[in-house]
Amino acid sequence: MPEIFTIKASDLVLKVSENIDPRIFDISKYEAFLDALCGPREFQKEAIRTVLRYLLGGKYKNLRDLAEENYKNNPHLKELHPTFADFERHLQLPDKLACTIDLATATGKSYVLYGIARIMLAEGVVNKVLLIVPSTTIEKGITEKFKALSSDADLLRLIPEDAKIRNPRIINATQIIKEGDICIENIHAVYEYVKSSEDSLIGKGESTLVLCDECHHVYNPPAKESWAIKKWKEFLLDPKYNFRYIVGVTGTAYIGNEYFTDVIYRYSLKQAIEERMVKTIKYVAEDSPGGEDEKFQKIYDNHLENKRRYRKIKPITIIVTKDIQTCKKLTEKWINFIAEKEKISIEQAKKKVLIVTSAPEHKENVLRLNRVDNKDDPTEWITSVSMLTEGWDVKNVFQI
């Protein structure tokens, strides 16, 4: 009987050498900064340290170097790829100092990106940072976080006095990207506004750090994704920019069913739940048994149980649909269902349900998302399409 091999995603993470000459890069002088930035979240600090050893340690010219070193020492890689040439063909950006960080959803990816950006600028290896995100929802949230962190006097105090760039400006791509800037922009606007910033990017990619949030979009765009998303990888590879340092972060580091070949740090959802860094969310699958009424009742009962269990907060349930038209129909059905179950008027039930889509009539509802955690906001149910699957920070979702 043939031997069966089981390979886990963690077996495929590329190891970055810890044997770094401190005269080339000394992470110890940033430890106080990392403690203040990340607090007790040691996995965030380790992710930042790992990336910086890779980018600044002087051990690797590019991803190919790192991949070859790991291929020689990792039998799991050899099981999947019979030769290094075969493995190399699966590398997305082999000629760049490129990598991916695999961090579970809700574990604070933005803090990791911020820490990498600040230290890279402080070291003077790059003099500007371009952070690309896939949507305006993510752009808004991460810009607010970066501005709040940049205004933190304690974080600034803990950056060494001799740093090349100590306190970067946070901007978007409508402005000229100057030295000392962290430019945050969604990929659609990058294509719209990049011409206004081309003088600061063309031929200067080696002094620019490119960060890609939710980078699974770069290599694995959905079939119906926008034109800009599909061009994201081309932008990174465009020789007129000649970007050298490219770091992506995602919680879904897969191309189809294959794990990314450039992950250098992984903190899985299972580990995050076990270490109580994130809560467990109950998922009710669309193929659950029973008709629509039975499914509605199951979702409603779960929601009531969450309200009983977490009385000091307001649990929220999200219902995801395949498209806007379906979302509108389901929202109407759900409002009627709640009104009947709770013996309240349709108008009262409507206040409890927030529909969020890209349709123009729902534009104001998107702005309400930042308030739904508040107890004085009546929203308990959010109906949406896939636009809320990433990049939206809300603490009180307990059921999807």
Side-chain angles (χ1 to χ4, degrees):
M1 184 173 178
E3 190 174 355
I4 297 173
F5 296 97
T6 301
I7 300 177
K8 304 186 294 292
S10 56
D11 296 329
L12 304 177
V13 174
L14 304 182
K15 296 186 185 304
V16 177
S17 175
E18 296 185 15
N19 185 24
I20 301 300
D21 186 342
R23 292 171 298 181
I24 296 175
F25 173 62
D26 184 7
I27 188 62
S28 65
K29 61 184 176 181
Y30 296 104
E31 288 299 329
F33 169 79
L34 293 179
D35 286 340
L37 174 66
C38 304
R41 299 178 296 276
E42 289 297 326
F43 66 91
Q44 292 180 353
K45 300 175 197 175
E46 190 54 35
I48 294 169
R49 294 185 193 110
T50 302
V51 171
L52 293 172
R53 287 202 313 271
Y54 172 55
L55 298 183
L56 301 177
K59 290 278 186 180
Y60 311 102
K61 298 191 301 293
N62 50 36
L63 175 59
R64 184 183 291 103
D65 275 2
L66 178 66
E68 188 168 12
E69 178 180 272
N70 276 263
Y71 186 81
K72 290 176 181 176
N73 300 314
N74 186 341
H76 300 293
L77 291 176
K78 292 178 180 177
E79 283 180 37
L80 289 179
H81 307 284
T83 65
F84 176 69
D86 178 64
F87 181 44
E88 185 180 14
R89 281 194 292 272
H90 288 78
L91 302 177
Q92 294 288 334
L93 304 170
D95 297 314
K96 310 289 185 181
L97 266 171
C99 64
T100 295
I101 313 166
D102 180 2
L103 291 181
T105 299
T107 54
K109 294 190 284 289
S110 55
Y111 289 93
V112 173
L113 291 173
Y114 186 79
I116 293 167
R118 283 294 293 268
I119 294 175
M120 287 289 284
L121 289 169
E123 286 292 294
V125 175
V126 299
N127 55 34
K128 60 182 75 70
V129 177
L130 177 62
L131 170 50
I132 307 173
V133 301
S135 71
T136 55
T137 305
I138 298 177
E139 179 195 341
K140 182 176 182 295
I142 206 166
T143 299
E144 290 173 354
K145 283 183 185 176
F146 271 43
K147 285 185 174 180
L149 291 169
S150 288
S151 64
D152 187 322
D154 288 334
L155 290 179
L156 177 59
R157 177 175 56 81
L158 294 170
I159 292 289
E161 286 292 337
D162 62 351
K164 299 295 191 294
I165 297 171
R166 296 190 73 241
N167 195 21
R169 183 178 65 148
I170 311 299
I171 65 167
N172 63 32
T174 60
Q175 301 166 267
I176 299 295
I177 308 172
K178 299 179 180 177
E179 291 189 9
D181 286 346
I182 297 177
C183 176
I184 305 170
E185 196 53 87
N186 72 81
I187 188 63
H188 309 80
V190 166
Y191 283 106
E192 184 177 350
Y193 297 122
V194 77
K195 290 190 184 306
S196 67
S197 302
E198 278 194 337
D199 287 344
S200 56
L201 292 177
I202 290 180
K204 300 175 182 178
E206 293 201 358
S207 60
T208 302
L209 170 64
V210 181
L211 302 174
C212 300
D213 194 16
E214 306 295 353
C215 67
H216 52 277
H217 291 290
V218 182
Y219 311 123
N220 197 16
K224 295 183 179 179
E225 195 58 89
S226 70
W227 172 84
I229 292 284
K230 290 180 179 179
K231 300 284 283 185
W232 194 338
K233 183 180 175 183
E234 290 181 31
F235 175 72
L236 297 179
L237 288 170
D238 195 325
K240 73 180 177 184
Y241 302 119
N242 194 28
F243 295 123
R244 183 184 183 202
Y245 303 99
I246 302 172
V247 178
V249 63
T250 180
T252 49
Y254 291 88
I255 299 175
N257 293 321
E258 294 186 2
Y259 194 61
F260 277 16
T261 52
D262 67 346
V263 174
I264 65 172
Y265 186 83
R266 172 178 167 85
Y267 188 69
S268 69
L269 182 58
K270 180 183 178 183
Q271 188 176 355
I273 292 172
E274 288 175 349
E275 296 179 2
R276 301 183 68 83
M277 289 296 172
V278 300
K279 64 179 179 290
T280 303
I281 296 177
K282 185 172 184 62
Y283 286 83
V284 181
E286 64 178 348
D287 57 353
S288 297
E292 185 173 81
D293 288 345
E294 189 175 336
K295 289 178 184 177
F296 277 20
Q297 187 63 52
K298 181 178 180 180
I299 294 167
Y300 185 77
D301 289 344
N302 287 336
H303 187 78
L304 290 186
E305 176 59 28
N306 285 332
K307 290 179 73 172
R308 283 191 290 267
R309 183 177 300 179
Y310 307 105
R311 289 175 295 170
K312 293 185 178 180
I313 61 175
K314 183 188 65 174
I316 291 170
T317 291
I318 298 179
I319 304 175
V320 183
T321 66
K322 65 179 181 179
D323 54 42
I324 294 174
Q325 198 58 40
T326 306
C327 192
K328 289 178 180 179
K329 291 178 181 178
L330 181 130
T331 303
E332 187 176 342
K333 288 181 181 179
W334 193 253
I335 289 169
N336 290 330
F337 178 82
I338 292 175
E340 183 178 342
K341 295 296 294 185
E342 300 183 1
K343 295 181 170 39
I344 58 178
S345 69
I346 293 295
E347 288 305 312
Q348 288 174 306
K350 281 182 178 179
K351 292 179 181 179
K352 295 189 174 191
V353 182
L354 183 69
I355 179 171
V356 180
T357 76
S358 57
E361 64 264 36
H362 302 145
K363 189 174 182 180
E364 290 186 8
N365 292 355
V366 176
L367 301 177
R368 282 184 55 193
L369 287 174
N370 292 333
R371 306 196 301 270
V372 295
D373 272 340
N374 299 340
K375 275 202 165 185
D376 57 0
D377 186 286
T379 305
E380 292 184 38
W381 309 86
I382 297 174
T383 56
S384 181
V385 287
S386 59
M387 65 184 293
L388 293 185
T389 56
E390 58 194 20
W392 170 52
D393 290 340
V394 61
K395 297 178 178 66
N396 293 0
V397 173
F398 284 84
Q399 179 179 214
I400 300 176

